[in-house]
Tab-separated table of all heavy atoms in Angstrom:
chain	number	residue	atom	x	y	z
A	347	CYS	N	-65.396	120.812	174.193
A	347	CYS	CA	-64.769	121.517	173.079
A	347	CYS	C	-64.669	122.990	173.462
A	347	CYS	O	-65.336	123.451	174.394
A	347	CYS	CB	-65.591	121.393	171.795
A	347	CYS	SG	-65.900	119.696	171.251
A	348	GLY	N	-63.860	123.731	172.716
A	348	GLY	CA	-63.761	125.145	173.029
A	348	GLY	C	-62.881	125.894	172.062
A	348	GLY	O	-62.253	125.301	171.188
A	349	TYR	N	-62.858	127.212	172.231
A	349	TYR	CA	-61.979	128.054	171.428
A	349	TYR	C	-61.720	129.359	172.168
A	349	TYR	O	-62.456	129.728	173.099
A	349	TYR	CB	-62.562	128.322	170.044
A	349	TYR	CG	-63.893	129.052	170.020
A	349	TYR	CD1	-63.969	130.446	170.078
A	349	TYR	CD2	-65.090	128.345	169.903
A	349	TYR	CE1	-65.186	131.106	170.034
A	349	TYR	CE2	-66.309	128.999	169.855
A	349	TYR	CZ	-66.355	130.384	169.923
A	349	TYR	OH	-67.550	131.050	169.884
A	350	ALA	N	-60.658	130.038	171.766
A	350	ALA	CA	-60.309	131.338	172.337
A	350	ALA	C	-59.894	132.266	171.208
A	350	ALA	O	-59.295	131.832	170.217
A	350	ALA	CB	-59.170	131.202	173.349
A	351	GLU	N	-60.226	133.555	171.347
A	351	GLU	CA	-59.944	134.558	170.314
A	351	GLU	C	-59.398	135.823	170.968
A	351	GLU	O	-59.981	136.335	171.932
A	351	GLU	CB	-61.232	134.920	169.563
A	351	GLU	CG	-61.954	133.732	168.956
A	351	GLU	CD	-63.397	134.029	168.587
A	351	GLU	OE1	-63.902	135.119	168.962
A	351	GLU	OE2	-64.027	133.175	167.937
A	352	THR	N	-58.290	136.320	170.454
A	352	THR	CA	-57.742	137.581	170.943
A	352	THR	C	-57.190	138.368	169.767
A	352	THR	O	-56.721	137.793	168.785
A	352	THR	CB	-56.646	137.344	171.997
A	352	THR	OG1	-56.195	138.597	172.525
A	352	THR	CG2	-55.458	136.599	171.411
A	353	TYR	N	-57.274	139.689	169.847
A	353	TYR	CA	-56.854	140.524	168.723
A	353	TYR	C	-56.410	141.896	169.214
A	353	TYR	O	-56.683	142.311	170.345
A	353	TYR	CB	-58.008	140.699	167.725
A	353	TYR	CG	-59.068	141.680	168.195
A	353	TYR	CD1	-58.993	143.039	167.849
A	353	TYR	CD2	-60.118	141.277	169.003
A	353	TYR	CE1	-59.939	143.940	168.304
A	353	TYR	CE2	-61.063	142.162	169.450
A	353	TYR	CZ	-60.978	143.501	169.102
A	353	TYR	OH	-61.904	144.405	169.561
A	354	VAL	N	-55.753	142.613	168.309
A	354	VAL	CA	-55.498	144.035	168.459
A	354	VAL	C	-55.747	144.666	167.098
A	354	VAL	O	-55.388	144.091	166.068
A	354	VAL	CB	-54.063	144.322	168.952
A	354	VAL	CG1	-53.015	143.818	167.970
A	354	VAL	CG2	-53.873	145.816	169.237
A	355	ALA	N	-56.416	145.813	167.076
A	355	ALA	CA	-56.785	146.453	165.810
A	355	ALA	C	-56.543	147.950	165.895
A	355	ALA	O	-56.716	148.562	166.957
A	355	ALA	CB	-58.245	146.174	165.472
A	356	HIS	N	-56.178	148.529	164.751
A	356	HIS	CA	-55.962	149.968	164.670
A	356	HIS	C	-56.983	150.582	163.727
A	356	HIS	O	-57.151	150.127	162.580
A	356	HIS	CB	-54.553	150.286	164.166
A	356	HIS	CG	-54.290	151.748	164.010
A	356	HIS	ND1	-54.053	152.585	165.087
A	356	HIS	CD2	-54.234	152.537	162.882
A	356	HIS	CE1	-53.859	153.817	164.643
A	356	HIS	NE2	-53.971	153.813	163.318
A	357	ASN	N	-57.686	151.586	164.203
A	357	ASN	CA	-58.633	152.350	163.388
A	357	ASN	C	-57.913	153.605	162.913
A	357	ASN	O	-57.488	154.434	163.735
A	357	ASN	CB	-59.864	152.708	164.229
A	357	ASN	CG	-60.953	153.391	163.423
A	357	ASN	OD1	-60.682	154.071	162.432
A	357	ASN	ND2	-62.198	153.227	163.853
A	358	PHE	N	-57.771	153.768	161.600
A	358	PHE	CA	-57.011	154.901	161.073
A	358	PHE	C	-57.729	156.238	161.279
A	358	PHE	O	-57.125	157.285	161.088
A	358	PHE	CB	-56.698	154.669	159.591
A	358	PHE	CG	-55.710	153.564	159.362
A	358	PHE	CD1	-56.143	152.261	159.139
A	358	PHE	CD2	-54.345	153.806	159.412
A	358	PHE	CE1	-55.240	151.236	158.931
A	358	PHE	CE2	-53.431	152.788	159.214
A	358	PHE	CZ	-53.882	151.491	158.981
Side-chain angles (χ1 to χ4, degrees):
C347 302
Y349 61 85
E351 305 163 351
T352 184
Y353 76 92
V354 61
H356 178 76
N357 185 331
F358 291 92

